[in-house]
Amino acid sequence: MGVAQAQQQAPFQTLPEIAVDPPSVHHRPALLQAGQRSGSRQARHVRAASAPVAAPAVSAPGPAPSSPVPLSAPQNQAASARVISGAQVNALPFSRVGEALEAVPGLVVTQHSGEGKANQYFLRGFNLDHGTDLAITVDGMPVNMPTHGHGQGYADINFIIPELISTMTLRKGPYFADVGDFGSAGAVGIEYLRAMPKNLAEITVGSFGYRRLLGAGSTKVGEGTLLAAFEGNTYNGPWDVPDNVRKLNGVLRYSQGTLTDGFSLTGMAYANRWTSTDQVAQRAIDEGLIGRYGSLDATDGGIASRYSLSGRFAQSSDIGQTDINAYVIRSSLQLYNNFTYYLDDPVNGDQFNQYDRRTVVGLNGTQRFDYRFGGLPVETRVGLQSRADSISLGLNKTLQRDWLSTVRADDVSEQSLGLWTDTTVRWTDWLRTTAGIREDYFNGRVISDTPANSGNASASMTSPKFGIVLGPWVSTEFYGNAGTGLHSNDIRGATITVDPNDKTTPLDRVPLLVRSKGAELGIRNRSIPGLTTSLAVFVLDFDSELLFVGDAGTTEPSRPSRRVGVEWTSQYKPLPWIGFDLDVAYTRARFTNIDPVGDLIPGAPAWVASAGLTLGRETGWFGAVKGRYFGPRPLIEDGSETSLASLIFNARLGYRFDNGIRLQLDALNLFNAKTNQIEYYYLSRLPGEPLGGVGDRHVHPAEPLAVRLTLAGAF
C-alpha cells in the first residue's frame, strides 16, 4: 500500500515546521581545552559526518502542505529539529560564508585565522573546533574529514555558494538513526537547488578590499536542467598583514525529474589561497609591540582545494521511496601556523606546516517502506552509509614556510560502514513513536615514517535511538528523544606507540570510537497565527573528549563530560513582508570526574542568543537586521581566565526594481564593537621572554565596521 493510500485511510495531521514548496523545475591552536592542565604546553583538538535527509525547498512558515508528509520528516522528529529555506538563509547579512550556518538556532560560527581555513563552531556548550561533533553534509557528501592533518572532523565549508542553497536541515543530539559519526552535538544537511528560479549576476565591493563576483543560472537541456554557477572572491581584511584571499569556486549540475523521482549529476571545484593573521598574544597588543590587527608571524597562511563529483538517484513507488547517492572527493590543504612564536624553538621560531591530501569515495542508500500493520500507518527506513578515505598527511617544522624538519608523515587508509534502520508508528491521532538502531564499523591502516607508529585499527559500536511525539493539542506537540551516538578519533592515535618528536617516549593508544549519550524533552506551539515557538531541554554525555594534537602529532587523553541545557526558538511572520526570529540557548558544561584543576570545560559557551528582523516584498524596499550574542567562556578549568562576551549587529538595506535589478548595502559589525572572534589561554614566548614561556590570553579580534555594496540582476 502506498503512503498516499495509507494516509487517506488514516490522515496524518502533523504540525509541519514550514510550508513545503516544490523547487522550481587546528586545528585548534595551542589552547587549554578538554582535559588539559593550565600549565601544559599546547592543546589543540577535539572531535564530526553523516548523510542528511533530503528535503524540498521551503518558504516561510505557513499552512500545512497539501501533499503527504512522511512520518519521519526532519521537522517532525524533535523540538529542536528544523528545516530552513535558502531564502531564509540569504535574507540576513553575514560577513563570511561560514556565518550562513548561523541560521541554525544556537550555532555560533567564528574564525581565528585566515578566510580559507575552516571556521570555529560552537553549539550546545561545545567548542567544536573546526567541525568535530557537528556533522555537515552538502548534497549528501560529508564535509567533515576524519584523521585530518589539522584536526579530527575538520569541516571546511568555504566552497559553499550560499545563493545555491535550497534547504538547510538541522537536527541536534544523538537521537537519529541516519546520523552517524561526528553528529552527537548536531547535524546540518545542506541541499543545493536543482534549478535557479531566475538567472543571477551579482557583483559586490566593500571595505578592506572585498570583491566578489557571482554568476548562476540554469537552462533546459534535453529532458533535464543544467545549472551552472561561478564565484570569484578577493579580500584583504583590516589586518596589518593583508589576508590576500584569492578564491575561485564553481558548480555544474545536470538533473532530471524531481527530488523524489529523478536523478542529478553534480561537479564542484574550489581553490583558495590566503595569508592569515592568527590569534595573537594579548600582551603583545597591550605592550604596543603590534596593533590590534597586527601579526606576530607574517608568513602564516594556507592553500586549499576541493573537487568533487556526485550523483543522486531517487524513485518513489507503491511501497515507499528509494534514495541513493554516490560521490568522490579530492581535497588538499596546506597550513602554516605559529601559535607559540619562540616557545619550542628560540632560534627559528615555532611555525609548523600541516598538510592533508586525500581522496574520498562514498555510497549512501536509503529505502523507505510505507505500510499498515495492525491497522496502523507505519514507516520503516533502512539505510547504508559507507566511505573510504585514502590520505597522505603530516606535520613539518618550518621557518617562513621553508621546511626545517619532519615531525611525522603518514599514509592512511580508513573505511567506515554504517547500517541503520528506524520505524515510525502512528498509534493514535495524538501519539507516534520512532525506534531505531545503528551499527557502525570503522577500520584502517597507518603507514608512518616512524615504523613503531604504524599499524591497523578497527572498532564497531551499536547505537539505539528512540523518539516519541504527543499531539497536536491546541496546535501544540510534545517531543521526547533519547539515544546513543559516537565520535571517531584520529586513527593515528589508535596505532601510536612513541612520541613522533623524539621517536622514543612511550605513548598510550586511545580507542578509535568514543560513546556519547543524550536525551531531549521539548514542546512546539503554533497556536498564534504566524508564530512558531519551541522549547527544548537536553542532556549530553561524552565518555571522553579525546584530542589528537595536530601540531605535535600526538594524542592527549581527556575527561568525561556532561552538558545540560535549554533552548528557546521562535519564528514570527505576522505579515507576508515582515519576519522575526529569536533564539536563546543556555548550557551548563562540566567535566564529570573529580580533578583539583577544576571542572569547567575550556571554550564551552554558556549563553548564546540571536535575533533577526527582515522586511520587504518581492519588489521595492527591503531590509534586515541581525544581532548575535556570544557569551563569555572559561579559558581554563578553574575559571580564573575567561573570554570577553560579544554582541555584534549586521544590517542590510536595499531596493528591488521591477526589472529584476537589486541594489543592496550591508553594514557588518554595525556598531563597531571592539571584541574578539575567538580567545584562548596558553603558553607562548615572545623574543626576550623567559624560556619557559608566559601564560596569556591569545585573541583574534572581530573585524571593525565594514560596508559592502551589491549590484545584482535577476533575469
Side-chain angles (χ1 to χ4, degrees):
M1 179 181 297
V3 65
Q5 294 173 298
Q7 294 188 359
Q8 287 170 1
Q9 295 183 31
F12 171 46
Q13 300 293 334
T14 187
L15 293 174
E17 176 71 14
I18 42 189
V20 178
D21 295 329
S24 53
V25 224
H26 82 135
H27 155 88
R28 185 128 26 148
L31 69 148
L32 291 174
Q33 181 201 320
Q36 206 137 355
R37 300 300 188 267
S38 302
S40 62
R41 182 181 68 87
Q42 291 184 344
R44 359 274 149 156
H45 281 99
V46 212
R47 301 152 295 270
S50 63
V53 174
V58 292
S59 65
S66 57
S67 59
V69 177
L71 297 174
S72 61
Q75 61 267 31
N76 300 324
Q77 295 178 338
S80 59
R82 187 176 174 190
V83 180
I84 304 164
S85 72
Q88 291 169 318
V89 171
N90 288 284
L92 294 169
F94 44 82
S95 62
R96 53 179 56 89
V97 63
E99 291 178 5
L101 267 65
E102 289 190 349
V104 171
L107 178 63
V108 172
V109 181
T110 67
Q111 181 59 277
H112 79 90
S113 189
E115 296 302 321
K117 194 174 182 180
N119 296 101
Q120 300 279 126
Y121 306 94
F122 296 82
L123 180 69
R124 286 200 160 180
F126 282 95
N127 177 352
L128 294 165
D129 195 48
H130 296 295
T132 63
D133 286 299
L134 178 65
I136 303 174
T137 57
V138 175
D139 275 341
M141 294 181 289
V143 178
N144 307 80
M145 297 297 167
T147 308
H148 190 271
H150 190 63
Q152 180 71 345
Y154 188 85
D156 180 4
I157 61 170
N158 285 297
F159 69 92
I160 291 176
I161 300 177
E163 289 83 356
L164 296 186
I165 295 175
S166 169
T167 58
M168 187 182 295
T169 300
L170 163 68
R171 290 175 294 170
K172 301 177 184 178
Y175 325 128
F176 312 106
D178 58 335
V179 177
D181 193 16
F182 303 131
S184 293
V188 178
I190 297 170
E191 300 293 330
Y192 270 6
L193 293 164
R194 295 166 67 89
M196 296 292 296
K198 290 185 177 180
N199 297 332
L200 176 66
E202 182 175 297
I203 184 171
T204 302
V205 297
S207 305
F208 311 120
Y210 185 89
R211 304 288 186 271
R212 182 174 185 251
L213 179 66
L214 171 69
S218 57
T219 185
K220 296 291 292 183
V221 174
E223 298 294 321
T225 301
L226 182 67
L227 180 149
F230 172 80
E231 173 192 33
N233 185 205
T234 65
Y235 181 56
N236 289 326
W239 318 108
D240 294 350
V241 177
D243 269 359
N244 198 29
V245 172
R246 298 292 183 267
K247 179 171 82 168
L248 297 175
N249 203 3
V251 175
L252 189 64
R253 160 173 285 180
Y254 181 76
S255 61
Q256 285 189 13
T258 66
L259 285 172
T260 56
D261 283 280
F263 74 90
S264 64
L265 185 65
T266 306
M268 300 183 187
Y270 159 80
N272 196 355
R273 63 175 58 235
W274 67 96
T275 300
S276 61
T277 297
D278 292 324
Q279 72 274 1
V280 296
Q282 182 66 51
R283 64 187 184 279
I285 299 175
D286 296 341
E287 295 170 7
L289 300 177
I290 59 172
R292 177 169 173 78
Y293 303 106
S295 172
L296 290 170
D297 192 328
T299 62
D300 286 355
I303 304 170
S305 66
R306 180 189 183 277
Y307 304 93
S308 68
L309 181 65
S310 63
R312 308 187 73 171
F313 169 81
Q315 184 175 43
S316 61
S317 65
D318 289 341
I319 64 170
Q321 178 74 38
T322 302
D323 293 282
I324 299 172
N325 80 287
Y327 56 86
V328 57
I329 304 168
R330 177 66 176 173
S331 69
S332 68
L333 178 68
Q334 289 273 2
L335 282 179
Y336 297 88
N337 293 308
N338 186 350
F339 299 119
T340 53
Y341 319 124
Y342 291 92
L343 179 65
D344 295 335
D345 187 337
V347 177
N348 296 308
D350 297 349
Q351 189 186 71
F352 56 91
N353 159 241
Q354 296 162 311
Y355 66 90
D356 185 287
R357 295 184 293 271
R358 71 177 62 209
T359 300
V360 187
V361 295
L363 174 67
N364 303 324
T366 302
Q367 176 63 55
R368 194 184 80 223
F369 300 95
D370 304 300
Y371 57 98
R372 299 183 72 85
F373 182 80
L376 301 173
V378 179
E379 174 188 295
T380 293
R381 299 186 303 165
V382 179
L384 174 149
Q385 295 164 353
S386 63
R387 67 180 286 179
D389 293 61
S390 178
I391 317 163
S392 175
L393 72 169
L395 172 66
N396 301 312
K397 293 182 179 180
T398 54
L399 172 62
Q400 297 181 355
R401 299 200 185 191
D402 290 333
W403 179 88
L404 294 176
S405 63
T406 296
V407 177
R408 72 177 298 170
D410 305 281
D411 289 318
V412 176
S413 61
E414 184 170 2
Q415 301 83 38
S416 64
L417 174 66
L419 300 173
W420 62 272
T421 183
D422 62 17
T423 296
T424 301
V425 182
R426 164 67 83 174
W427 299 94
T428 70
D429 290 342
W430 52 267
L431 170 64
R432 68 181 185 272
T433 61
T434 300
I437 193 166
R438 181 182 181 94
E439 181 73 18
D440 284 282
Y441 176 74
F442 288 72
N443 78 294
R445 178 173 178 81
V446 177
I447 302 176
S448 177
D449 63 340
T450 302
N453 289 333
S454 299
N456 300 315
S458 63
S460 62
M461 189 168 285
T462 304
S463 305
K465 325 277 185 175
F466 180 76
I468 184 171
V469 183
L470 301 171
W473 296 302
V474 195
S475 301
T476 304
E477 285 184 328
F478 300 86
Y479 297 84
N481 299 88
T484 64
L486 61 90
H487 164 80
S488 69
N489 287 312
D490 192 305
I491 196 171
R492 291 174 293 175
T495 64
I496 198 169
T497 60
V498 297
D499 190 326
N501 287 281
D502 59 24
K503 318 298 184 187
T504 58
T505 302
L507 293 177
D508 294 330
R509 293 179 173 179
V510 300
L512 185 56
L513 300 179
V514 176
R515 169 70 72 196
S516 65
K517 300 182 289 290
E520 176 179 310
L521 295 175
I523 182 174
R524 181 181 291 138
N525 176 268
R526 292 187 180 84
S527 57
I528 299 175
L531 174 65
T532 299
T533 186
S534 63
L535 183 71
V537 179
F538 69 90
V539 59
L540 183 57
D541 292 347
F542 263 90
D543 288 348
S544 174
E545 297 181 25
L546 293 166
L547 315 178
F548 189 89
V549 184
D551 56 341
T554 62
T555 302
E556 291 181 354
S558 182
R559 301 158 59 186
S561 63
R562 166 166 286 189
R563 289 165 173 82
V564 179
V566 58
E567 297 173 328
W568 176 43
T569 68
S570 295
Q571 306 91 47
Y572 186 42
K573 197 171 182 66
L575 297 169
W577 54 273
I578 184 171
F580 179 74
D581 292 88
L582 175 64
D583 308 314
V584 180
Y586 170 79
T587 305
R588 184 182 187 274
R590 296 291 187 272
F591 291 118
T592 55
N593 64 346
I594 298 175
D595 193 314
V597 72
D599 64 353
L600 299 178
I601 301 177
W607 287 99
V608 171
S610 67
L613 175 67
T614 57
L615 303 165
R617 302 179 184 273
E618 291 186 2
T619 59
W621 290 101
F622 66 93
V625 178
K626 180 180 179 180
R628 186 203 72 188
Y629 175 76
F630 188 23
R633 289 86 62 198
L635 299 181
I636 56 178
E637 290 90 338
D638 63 7
S640 58
E641 294 286 345
T642 59
S643 72
L644 298 176
S646 66
L647 178 59
I648 295 177
F649 289 87
N650 296 334
R652 171 176 293 170
L653 181 64
Y655 192 88
R656 296 187 185 95
F657 296 88
D658 293 339
N659 61 3
I661 299 296
R662 168 170 52 91
L663 188 65
Q664 130 189 340
L665 180 68
D666 288 355
L668 308 170
N669 194 358
L670 179 64
F671 300 112
N672 201 29
K674 289 181 171 57
T675 185
N676 296 317
Q677 284 277 351
I678 199 76
E679 297 184 34
Y680 308 104
Y681 189 89
Y682 57 88
L683 291 173
S684 63
R685 180 179 179 269
L686 300 174
E689 291 184 334
L691 290 177
V694 177
D696 195 8
R697 291 166 60 244
H698 294 73
V699 304
H700 186 72
E703 293 90 328
L705 169 67
V707 295
R708 295 177 185 174
L709 180 65
T710 298
L711 176 64
F715 53 93

